Amino acid sequence: MSRAHHYHQPNAPDTFAEDPESDIELELQELDPHKGVQNGGFDTNTHGPKGHVAAEEDPIPLRTLRPGGFRISGRRTRRFGANPDATDFREGVGVGVGVGENSEVEREDSSESYNIGDATPLLNEDTQGNLRSNGLGLFGSYIHIPKFLSRSSGYTNIDGSGEEPEETQKSATPRSINIGQHPPPRFPPNAVSNAKYTPWSFLPRTLYNEFSYFINMYFLLVSLSQVIPDLRIGVLWSYIVPLALVLALTLGKEAYDDIARRRRDAEANKEPYTVLRLRDNSKDPRQRKGGQARALKPQRAARTGSASHRRLDAIAEEEENLGQDGQNDIFYANIEVDEIGIRSRDLKVGDVVKLGKGQRVPADLVILQSYTTESSASAVIPTNKDLADETQSPSNGQEMGKTREASTLGAGEEVEGSGASLSISEGAGIGETFIRTDQLDGETDWKLRLASPLTQKLDPRDFTRLTIVAGKPAKAVNEFVGKVELSPRTSSSLNQNRSQNMTAPLTIDNTAWANTVLASSTTILAVVVYTGAQTRQALSTSSSRSKVGLLELEINNLTKILCILTLALSALLVGIRYYYVKPDQKWYISVTRFLILFSTIIPLSLRVNLDLAKSVYAWFIEHDRDMPGAVVRTSTIPEDLGRIEYLLSDKTGTLTQNEMDLRKIHVGTVSYANEAMEEVASYVRQGFSNAFSTDVNQPTVLVTPATLLNAASTSGTTTRTRREIGSRVRDVVLALALCHNVTPTTEEEDGHTTTAYQASSPDEIAIVRWTESVGLRVTHRDRHSIALQSVDSSRIAVRVRILDMFPFTSETKRMGIIVQFWQGSESTTSSSAGSGEIWFYQKGADTVMTKIVAANDWLDEETANMAREGLRTLVVGRRKLSSQQYADFASSYKEASMSLQSRDSNMAQTIRSHLEHNLELLGVTGVEDKLQKDVKPSLELLRNAGVKIWMLTGDKVETARCVAISSKLVSRAQHIHTITSLHTASRVSPTAASDTLSLLAANPDSTALLIDGDSLSYLLTNHRHAFISLAVLLPAVIACRCSPTQKADIAILIRAHTRKRIACVGDGGNDVSMIQAADVGVGIVGKEGRQASLAADFSITQFHHLTKLLLWHGRNSYKRSAKLAQFVIHRGLLVSVCQTVYSIATHYEPNALFRDWLLIGYSTVYTQFSVFSLVLDRDVDEALANLYPELYKELTSGTSLSYKTFFVWLFISIYQGTLIQYLAEFLVGSATDGRLLAVSYTVVVINELAMVAISVTTWHWIMIASILGTATLYIGTVPFLGEYFNLAFVWSWGFVWRVSAILGISLVPPYIVRVVGRTLRPPSYRKVRGV
């Protein structure tokens, strides 16, 4: 392969050294290396002490051995070895392990793909770091039957032990996967689950949550006390029914929410996928001759009986199979491959999935093959009819096997040594595809993925010969260690050299994790290796938790105060009673009865009212016409939407659309943007529209940098300055059209062929699309050449040969390419060495390119201007190379690439010394990452509302900075303080972190922080308290390169440190952990999936809906619930105060004033509707809420429901309850004929309705109807209350005037105080309303 791409091609590993003295036990592969390699997947070459391959000798037939020749008795292992220390997983996968003289080379080659983050080493090493091995039982010792037909599982644990691990450990250990076999049930199902409960955990968890609230536990104890006769007050059902009703409503709502989650999960789990079904279509395989009968013997039978019998069976089978060469070909010819459609949840480990462009990856996969859209049409899955010719000549099985094996290997592939490893030439048989991982790790760049060269050109029938060895499930999304093994198709005689298992390592480049998306126009075949809870996505996602609103916690604290008040009041009355009366009743019974009488102080109906109110708020949100598609998934925390102080937001797909657009280009003397791009297009037409021939039949003259503008551009009417500008514009457009890694593809859309581009970065695609829009299209790109077409003439204008390519990395922040231009016409081109111009083009970030390009006086100023506009800047330069200069560079670069020590740094130094200096500065481009609709005003509105915004992204630092500026997350008055590579800096200077924090603390109010993931981890590890104490004070924080786990940790840390409400918003699967860790999780339905939406508490479709969700719905929910809670508490206190006065009047007897229906009816039928109608109240309309976001800011202090407001309502309740009961007894007397009860109860009911009317800010017709309707209902039910009231007295004028007088004294003073207070100290909402 040309050096232009440097795609990682894993080298096949050498085989492992065995101890030459370890001959205690004769292993099967020592006698016949072609047997016994398929179990463990190891290569069978052996090395001498210095790592040289031992000469292969004729194997010893098994029939010449004594059955008792083995010295170790007992059951022999069928795993990797009997000794746990004999081998390990890293040896098993064959990555990064070398022996003898080649060890350093192999470790160096594998370092790029082998990064282990676990603390536990994967290698057993001695003190010198050398591999330990005792040579015993390194490999399995049974003859491998075709995995496809084996009844026993092909999924063996690679744990270095001969015994099965515990069942609880099976699914978390490394695995060996035989493709085509169904896995055992120990692997989890491939199902998405966001449910909080299971059918078994629902009742225990919900009941525990409910009774963790003090109010519910209190009423449970009160209800249970009514079973005791001495404590019973009234009928038992009057206490049991309210509590049961509360629990039923709450549990029903939780069940409804969880069922809704399960239904949404079911939709995702039903997503259809195409799977290749591999099966044997022979009717009676046992009728086949020779080895085919043996192939179908159950493997479990080989595990029974003594070891000697198993060895005798193996010898007999081998002797029976001698001379049956090629019979295995018949077996593989009978494999049938079908495409079937199954649901996502039904995918199993070992299934081969077929995916196309735009499809979501349903599980963690290893890519086997990849085809372009064009070539995949010809890659038809073979059927049985296609196999007919292959089975016509079984007598020549050996030759047929060789031919078919040769067809399996691509061009340039060869079997080395004894066939245990592969050597793949450059580019041969390696399928490429691109995936999008922004739903997994938040990175917007496309990722290149490769099929293993061992599997790329296999016939799908041969997939049954593959074994995938994979490590145990892990969180690391950027790491994977495994290997693929191809077993031989033929079985030669024992007297000849045999084909053996071929192996190739697997790295992260060969995988596609769940919830990534296939981005390129390719079709891939991939095998499932991890499913469900063991996928990278699931392991990086925290489990859902039951969220409790801050308002409920505050109310829970208030109920504790009410309980203390109740206990104190009961004790006081009992004490006074015992001091004056000396009753016979025991004091603790009296205290308990008073506690039961005053239980209305702690209103049980409070939870019912609040839960019902939450459902109303959810209905308002879901039916808001300005928020189409909004869904409330957790209806227990809508009030928290009104008290958010920190907003943690993802970038990609949340703030931005991840759609790039080149908006501006500067060429040194002039800048082009918007309509001025037409002038750029005119220059391009002049330079690349085939000015040398107007005849379409004539060959096109190819353009090179040395080619002058066409004759039209050099006419006398064109000034020299304009010609110079045109030449510079042409040069920069040509540079941008060549310096990239974009590959054009053709697609069929509605019968029309369109050109699409695929690349690892959307920036690259945006630039190439721009060059096409101005007249220069990329029509062809492979690893060796690029062709550019003039859009105006539709003819090829430029052809270049790619000599070298240096890809963009986060460390270098630039990319470059060396090309050689083809000269002459399109029909007679010359690109041989030395005949074409050689140019080096480079583009990169201004921070690094400033030191590389030649001196100039405009670059810094122009890049600063573009940065202020929020554009992502790229500086473009070039340099011409002579043939000798390139030859010198190529020689030095090759030498640096072969170095064993500091290879990367040597290669970078070679590029710097030969290429990266005094580049001709061509221009600067400004690319805009398109923002979501109304992101700028939304962020400004939230910032004015007092919300501190953190942007957490997995993207690059430069990208995050540009988006923070363009979205107005960081205002113009704020300075961006950048912290990167702090860990490295701290090694040089131990005080680097402290100094950085000191600079940040100098002016926190006007400073925004930009920090990368490594620096963030370092600060949280070593300076956690100092950093978080400072960071929460900043108006904005931008954290880059954050993993999903880091995002969740930041959310948890802010919650723990500030104890404030935080909201997290995101749209991807990588945001799920952060969303679930927040107090309020908001998911945006993204283009790539609904993972975040399904896991969130609230789901919206656009980011700008968040402002209305918080500033309008959140504010109303909190204020309404606060007012509702205070009225419910007031309602209970009013009755308890009346009871206290009545008890005092009856000589402190613990007898009930209102009992049975009067008590239940008061809190339900007679006051419920009017009090609950307060959920419709609002102090300002939506326009004022958006115009004055400061109204939201004052809610964060919790002034609507605080200890101050609680004690105000407590005083009002004591005042009104005392006057009502005292005046009733004063005006009526202590008569027991029902007159006192009629007056006091009627006043209590009407007083509550009047208090609701007084407290209403904005009337709604339902409020009026509920108040008037409740009053009418009460009057209508009075005739049915003869058991409690004196009805004759009720219908008299004496009753009317007494009730009216008491109501006037009870209501007028509180109303006057309220009016005076509003006048002297008007609340904020009255100020903005002007009332």
Side-chain angles (χ1 to χ4, degrees), residues 148 155 177-181 278 350 352 368 463-464 466-468 527:
F148 174 73
Y155 301 79
I177 303 167
N178 293 335
I179 297 178
Q181 280 193 343
L278 309 173
V352 179
L368 301 177
F463 286 169
T464 56
L466 293 175
T467 298
I468 304 293
V527 60

Side-chain angles (χ1 to χ4, degrees), residues 39 44 105 123-124 153 193 206 236 257 270 322 452 510 632 694 762 850 869 906 1022 1216 1297:
N39 180 36
T44 55
V105 177
L123 283 174
N124 296 321
S153 170
S193 178
T206 52
L236 181 62
D257 290 344
K270 289 179 181 179
L322 290 176
S452 172
N510 309 116
V632 179
T694 58
T850 302
E869 298 175 22
N906 291 340
N1022 300 281
Q1216 291 182 334
W1297 75 261

Side-chain angles (χ1 to χ4, degrees), residues 444-463:
T444 58
D445 293 353
W446 291 9
K447 305 296 189 303
L448 176 66
R449 291 294 183 260
L450 307 173
S452 172
L454 186 60
T455 63
Q456 172 60 26
K457 290 193 174 182
L458 283 180
D459 189 292
R461 292 166 295 165
D462 291 325
F463 286 169

Side-chain angles (χ1 to χ4, degrees), residues 319-549:
E319 291 178 337
E320 180 184 2
N321 194 42
L322 290 176
Q324 302 290 339
D325 299 334
Q327 294 300 318
N328 280 331
D329 293 302
I330 301 176
F331 162 73
Y332 289 109
N334 284 281
I335 294 177
E336 182 179 350
V337 181
D338 296 326
E339 291 187 3
I340 60 174
I342 66 173
R343 299 174 300 180
S344 173
R345 68 171 302 137
D346 295 329
L347 289 174
K348 306 293 185 183
V349 172
D351 284 344
V352 179
V353 184
K354 182 179 180 181
L355 296 175
K357 179 180 179 181
Q359 278 193 284
R360 181 183 69 89
V361 178
D364 286 357
L365 310 177
V366 167
I367 299 174
L368 301 177
Q369 294 180 352
S370 175
Y371 303 100
T372 61
T373 303
E374 294 83 359
S375 63
S376 63
S378 61
V380 181
I381 303 300
T383 61
N384 287 340
K385 185 177 180 180
D386 302 326
L387 308 177
D389 296 338
E390 299 184 18
T391 59
Q392 296 299 322
S393 304
S395 61
N396 193 18
Q398 181 176 355
E399 182 177 353
M400 179 176 64
K402 293 181 180 179
T403 303
R404 193 175 301 161
E405 198 69 56
S407 67
T408 299
L409 299 176
E413 301 178 16
E414 62 179 2
V415 180
E416 296 180 346
S418 58
S421 60
L422 285 178
S423 175
I424 311 299
S425 68
E426 295 181 354
I430 300 180
E432 299 178 3
T433 189
F434 285 95
I435 62 172
R436 290 199 298 268
T437 63
D438 52 338
Q439 298 295 302
L440 181 67
D441 56 17
E443 296 187 15
T444 58
D445 293 353
W446 291 9
K447 305 296 189 303
L448 176 66
R449 291 294 183 260
L450 307 173
S452 172
L454 186 60
T455 63
Q456 172 60 26
K457 290 193 174 182
L458 283 180
D459 189 292
R461 292 166 295 165
D462 291 325
F463 286 169
T464 56
R465 300 162 50 201
L466 293 175
T467 298
I468 304 293
V469 181
K472 65 181 181 180
K475 288 184 178 181
V477 297
N478 295 320
E479 296 176 6
F480 177 73
V481 179
K483 92 170 171 177
V484 58
E485 174 186 306
L486 179 65
S487 60
R489 182 184 294 173
T490 60
S491 177
S492 304
S493 66
L494 290 174
N495 296 322
Q496 300 175 355
N497 293 337
R498 306 171 180 210
S499 56
Q500 300 179 6
N501 287 15
M502 293 179 290
T503 61
L506 296 175
T507 67
I508 186 65
D509 297 331
N510 309 116
T511 63
W513 298 143
N515 285 324
T516 58
V517 177
L518 192 63
S520 55
S521 300
T522 55
T523 299
I524 68 169
L525 299 179
V527 60
V528 178
V529 291
Y530 305 111
T531 54
Q534 293 182 351
T535 61
R536 270 16 182 212
Q537 169 73 36
L539 292 174
S540 299
T541 303
S542 59
S543 58
S544 59
R545 61 186 180 92
S546 299
K547 297 183 179 180
V548 179

Side-chain angles (χ1 to χ4, degrees), residues 272-287:
Y273 287 92
T274 300
V275 172
L276 300 189
R277 181 178 61 181
L278 309 173
R279 59 188 178 89
D280 179 25
N281 66 347
S282 60
K283 295 182 179 179
D284 189 5
R286 288 172 295 182
Q287 298 300 321

